[in-house]
């Protein structure tokens, strides 16, 4: 008899996904430019390390915030004591203002409708607990972030049903794909409670279009289900078309005050990507549904943001001169780094899905597969991991329907390291092409021999037939 619970011993966490297995191999042999220059370069981690200097500069210019001082007086003791899990009002106000600023102040947010969580992982799981029962389902467009198999399913018992998207239309969400996923759930006897999207998309690095958002709103309205818009990459949109929040579309359609629909629209946000602070564990749920806000606030007691973190960031985000400059400069740096990867891959004969956001590119390596199968994709992934010594995420780990796509991150390393990674990719591509050319040459050499042998056998048999006739 096991001494552990079924939850502790079950295999539904998703840790055996190639997304996580690649991380494990990286941790065994991590690249370091001096200590381990032949190690594995981490390109499977969506971290934004491009604008740390801006954050550090603000800290240096605002020493009181880092020292937990307000108007020159220490508030350390106040912050060190127990805080209500509703969060510090000043931080919630500065956070919703920052969310509005990222969206061009086209929409506004009420801090009373905000629930603070320890990162977006906690926010998404909390919403699953609030909106669905074990055995019920959420629909997710593919490809999707591999961690959702853990975040949405593992502890909640909620099922994921894929909305199958295709490269034929750049993986956009269609009305027919939504309906097919809904019917598939019913065939599996799963009650659909909602749809979850990432906007901008992880792993595609693209923003969801206004048409797609309208299709989604029409769909959830007709089915009387929820929609969660995970918008943690909203501040990383560096190129046109710009970011359109689902809140903006609701406002355009005069639906933001419609209790029936707006109560079923929920937003997840975080400072992990836009501000590059995943270690600070700052996430949030925004919802017009009072019951969801109430329940999620109670659940947030299991994963609070420290008072010290809230105070520091409330001071930083309330500095409008800083936030305005940060948002603009960070986008410029993301675009530059994105273009660097895309052009480097293009020179190696590799194309990427056209993208305008995120910390990664959706890279097309289908032409390097030995066959159009996920087995061949896994073989290529292993070569990239162990020969090129690059950890990237294969499309199968993101539940992509087409083998040969990979997510490649570009913002968690220096330019020098990225250049090295691109050279390694090019070297592997050259090796694969050389291997293929060698195989073709061997086939072409064998082929004439077979033809000569066939002709010789034919001539021999014809000669025997003539001899038989003469006899």
């Amino acid at each position: 008899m096991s001494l552990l619970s079924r939850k502790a011993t079950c295999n539904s966490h998703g840790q055996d996904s190639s997304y996580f297995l690649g991380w494990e191999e990286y941790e065994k042999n991590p690249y370091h430019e001096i200590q381990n220059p032949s190690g594995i370069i981490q390109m499977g981690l969506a971290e934004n390390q491009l604008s740390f200097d801006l954050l550090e500069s603000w800290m240096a210019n605002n020493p009181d915030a880092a020292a937990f001082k307000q108007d020159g007086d220490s508030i350390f003791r106040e912050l060190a004591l127990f805080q209500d899990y509703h969060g510090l009002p000043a931080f919630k106000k500065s956070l919703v203002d920052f969310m509005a600023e990222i969206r061009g102040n086209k929409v506004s947010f009420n801090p009373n409708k905000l629930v603070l969580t320890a990162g977006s992982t906690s926010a998404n799981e909390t919403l699953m607990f609030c909106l669905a029962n074990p055995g019920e389902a959420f629909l997710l467009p593919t490809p999707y972030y591999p961690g959702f198999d853990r975040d949405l399913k593992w502890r909640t018992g909620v099922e994921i049903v894929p909305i199958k998207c295709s490269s034929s239309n750049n993986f956009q969400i269609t009305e027919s794909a939504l309906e097919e996923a809904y019917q598939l759930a019913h065939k599996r006897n799963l009650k659909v409670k909602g749809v979850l999207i990432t906007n901008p998309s992880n792993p595609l690095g693209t923003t969801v279009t206004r048409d797609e958002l309208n299709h989604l709103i029409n769909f959830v309205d007709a089915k009387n289900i929820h929609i969660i818009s995970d918008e943690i990459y909203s501040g990383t949109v560096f190129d046109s078309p710009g970011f359109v929040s689902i809140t903006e579309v609701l406002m355009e359609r005069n639906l933001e005050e419609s209790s029936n629909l707006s109560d079923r629209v929920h937003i997840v946000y975080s400072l992990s990507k836009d501000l590059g602070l995943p270690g600070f564990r700052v996430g949030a749920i925004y919802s017009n549904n009072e019951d969801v806000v109430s329940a999620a606030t109670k659940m947030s007691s299991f994963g609070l943001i420290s008072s010290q973190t809230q105070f520091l960031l409330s001071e930083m985000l309330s500095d409008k001169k800083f936030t305005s400059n940060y948002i603009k400069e960070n986008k410029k740096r993301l675009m530059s780094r994105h273009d660097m990867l895309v052009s480097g891959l293009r020179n190696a004969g590799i194309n990427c899905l056209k993208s305008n956001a995120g910390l990664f590119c959706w890279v097309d390596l289908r032409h390097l597969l030995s066959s159009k199968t996920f087995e061949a994709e896994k073989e290529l992934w292993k070569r990239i991991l162990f020969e090129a010594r690059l950890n990237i995420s294969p499309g199968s780990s993101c539940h992509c329907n087409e083998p040969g796509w990979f997510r490649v991150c570009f913002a968690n390393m220096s330019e020098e390291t990225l250049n090295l990674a691109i050279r390694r990719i090019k070297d592997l591509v050259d090796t694969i092409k050389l291997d293929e050319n060698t195989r073709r040459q061997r086939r072409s050499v064998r082929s004439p021999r077979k033809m000569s042998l066939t002709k010789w056998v034919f001539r021999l048999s014809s000669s025997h037939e003539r001899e038989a006739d003469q006899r």
Side-chain angles (χ1 to χ4, degrees):
M1 180 182 295
S2 174
L3 296 178
L4 301 178
S5 69
R6 287 192 296 272
K7 183 61 65 181
T9 55
C10 74
N11 192 33
S12 60
H13 181 275
Q15 200 73 35
D16 56 350
S17 162
S18 51
Y19 172 74
F20 291 107
L21 293 177
W23 279 34
E24 291 179 10
E25 293 301 324
Y26 163 77
E27 288 167 359
K28 295 175 187 176
N29 183 28
Y31 168 82
H32 188 278
E33 58 182 357
I34 297 174
Q35 298 175 1
N36 190 22
S38 62
I40 296 173
I41 296 174
Q42 175 63 287
M43 305 187 82
L45 180 59
E47 279 186 345
N48 182 8
Q49 299 183 21
L50 303 185
S51 299
F52 276 156
D53 61 310
L54 302 180
L55 302 174
E56 291 168 338
S57 176
W58 185 91
M59 297 271 285
N61 293 328
N62 295 270
D64 279 5
F68 307 122
K69 290 182 178 181
Q70 203 165 45
D71 300 324
D73 297 325
S74 174
I75 59 170
F76 172 78
R77 294 187 180 186
E78 179 184 340
L79 295 173
L81 297 176
F82 177 78
Q83 297 290 329
D84 190 289
Y85 49 67
H86 287 79
L88 299 182
F91 175 59
K92 294 177 76 172
K93 175 65 167 59
S94 63
L95 183 58
V96 296
D97 287 347
F98 185 63
M99 291 169 61
E101 185 177 7
I102 284 173
R103 291 156 180 79
N105 290 310
K106 296 176 182 177
V107 294
S108 60
F109 299 95
N110 183 345
N112 295 323
K113 298 179 179 181
L114 192 78
V115 180
L116 299 178
T117 63
S120 60
T121 294
S122 176
N124 278 309
E125 185 189 53
T126 297
L127 279 174
M128 289 298 107
F129 276 122
C130 289
L131 305 180
N133 294 309
E136 295 177 336
F138 261 74
L139 310 181
L140 269 69
T142 60
Y144 62 77
Y145 165 55
F148 279 150
D149 292 322
R150 169 201 63 198
D151 302 352
L152 309 183
K153 295 172 56 176
W154 185 43
R155 297 199 299 182
T156 66
V158 172
E159 296 294 328
I160 293 175
V161 176
I163 302 168
K164 295 183 179 181
C165 302
S166 165
S167 63
S168 61
N169 70 343
N170 296 324
F171 298 98
Q172 290 192 1
I173 305 165
T174 63
E175 293 175 277
S176 59
L178 284 166
E179 188 60 39
E180 286 172 11
Y182 190 83
Q183 295 304 324
L184 175 61
H186 276 264
K187 288 180 182 178
R188 294 171 55 187
N189 295 316
L190 295 172
K191 182 178 181 180
V192 176
K193 295 304 293 289
V195 179
L196 187 150
I197 62 169
T198 56
N199 182 24
S201 168
N202 177 10
L204 299 178
T206 56
T207 47
V208 180
T209 66
R210 198 175 246 97
D211 283 345
E212 289 174 281
L213 290 170
N214 276 303
H215 292 329
L216 286 159
I217 289 171
N218 293 338
F219 179 77
V220 299
D221 191 23
K223 303 297 185 184
N224 195 34
I225 58 178
H226 296 270
I227 182 167
I228 300 171
S229 182
D230 184 328
E231 300 182 357
I232 68 172
Y233 288 96
S234 53
T236 70
V237 181
F238 51 78
D239 202 359
S240 60
F243 173 69
V244 181
S245 172
I246 196 166
T247 308
E248 186 178 337
V249 177
L250 288 173
M251 185 181 69
E252 290 172 350
R253 295 175 56 165
N254 296 316
L255 297 173
E256 74 275 16
E257 298 300 328
S258 169
S259 60
N260 185 29
L261 178 60
S262 66
D263 280 1
R264 291 182 278 114
V265 178
H266 319 279
I267 293 174
V268 167
Y269 187 61
S270 166
L271 296 180
S272 295
K273 311 303 180 181
D274 291 352
L275 214 58
L277 298 174
F280 278 43
R281 307 310 305 141
V282 178
I285 296 167
Y286 188 85
S287 175
N288 288 318
N289 191 312
E290 292 181 3
D291 292 335
V292 169
V293 171
S294 177
T297 301
K298 295 169 187 174
M299 291 181 187
S300 71
S301 64
F302 296 102
L304 298 174
I305 307 169
S306 75
S307 302
Q308 293 86 348
T309 298
Q310 292 186 54
F311 171 74
L312 174 62
L313 293 179
S314 67
E315 294 290 300
M316 181 183 289
L317 296 181
S318 62
D319 185 340
K320 296 307 176 186
K321 182 177 180 181
F322 165 76
T323 56
S324 176
N325 177 67
Y326 178 90
I327 291 170
K328 292 176 184 176
E329 183 61 26
N330 185 55
K331 289 182 178 182
K332 288 180 183 177
R333 296 181 184 188
L334 287 172
M335 173 180 274
S336 175
R337 188 59 63 85
H338 165 274
D339 293 349
M340 180 179 170
L341 175 62
V342 170
S343 62
L345 292 176
R346 188 184 300 118
N347 290 335
I350 296 171
N351 293 320
C352 302
L353 182 73
K354 183 176 173 53
S355 57
N356 64 325
L359 312 175
F360 34 72
C361 289
W362 191 236
V363 179
D364 185 359
L365 300 181
R366 289 177 292 179
H367 62 294
L368 299 179
L369 298 180
S370 58
S371 63
K372 296 180 180 180
T373 64
F374 286 107
E375 289 78 11
E377 179 186 272
K378 188 174 183 180
E379 291 173 6
L380 178 59
W381 170 67
K382 287 182 177 179
R383 292 195 68 174
I384 295 170
L385 183 61
F386 295 110
E387 293 182 34
R389 299 180 307 286
L390 304 172
N391 176 38
I392 66 177
S393 304
S396 55
S397 70
C398 303
H399 299 271
C400 184
N401 304 310
E402 304 170 17
W405 292 90
F406 290 77
R407 190 190 76 164
V408 180
C409 299
F410 56 75
N412 62 323
M413 66 193 75
S414 67
E415 284 191 11
E416 293 75 17
T417 303
L418 182 57
N419 274 320
L420 174 60
I422 293 170
R423 288 198 299 272
R424 289 186 181 183
I425 291 174
K426 188 178 186 308
D427 288 345
L428 180 63
V429 170
D430 291 342
T431 299
I432 292 173
K433 289 180 178 178
L434 182 62
D435 292 345
E436 178 60 27
N437 288 335
T438 301
R439 284 193 294 269
R440 286 176 181 171
Q441 289 174 359
R442 287 174 179 171
R443 285 196 296 267
S444 65
V445 169
R446 286 195 299 266
S447 181
R449 288 179 179 175
K450 289 181 180 179
M451 292 176 63
S452 298
L453 181 62
T454 302
K455 291 179 180 178
W456 180 79
V457 170
F458 177 76
R459 286 197 300 269
L460 184 62
S461 61
S462 299
S463 174
H464 289 167
E465 287 175 1
R466 285 194 298 272
E467 289 179 3
D469 290 341
Q470 291 172 357
R471 292 193 189 107

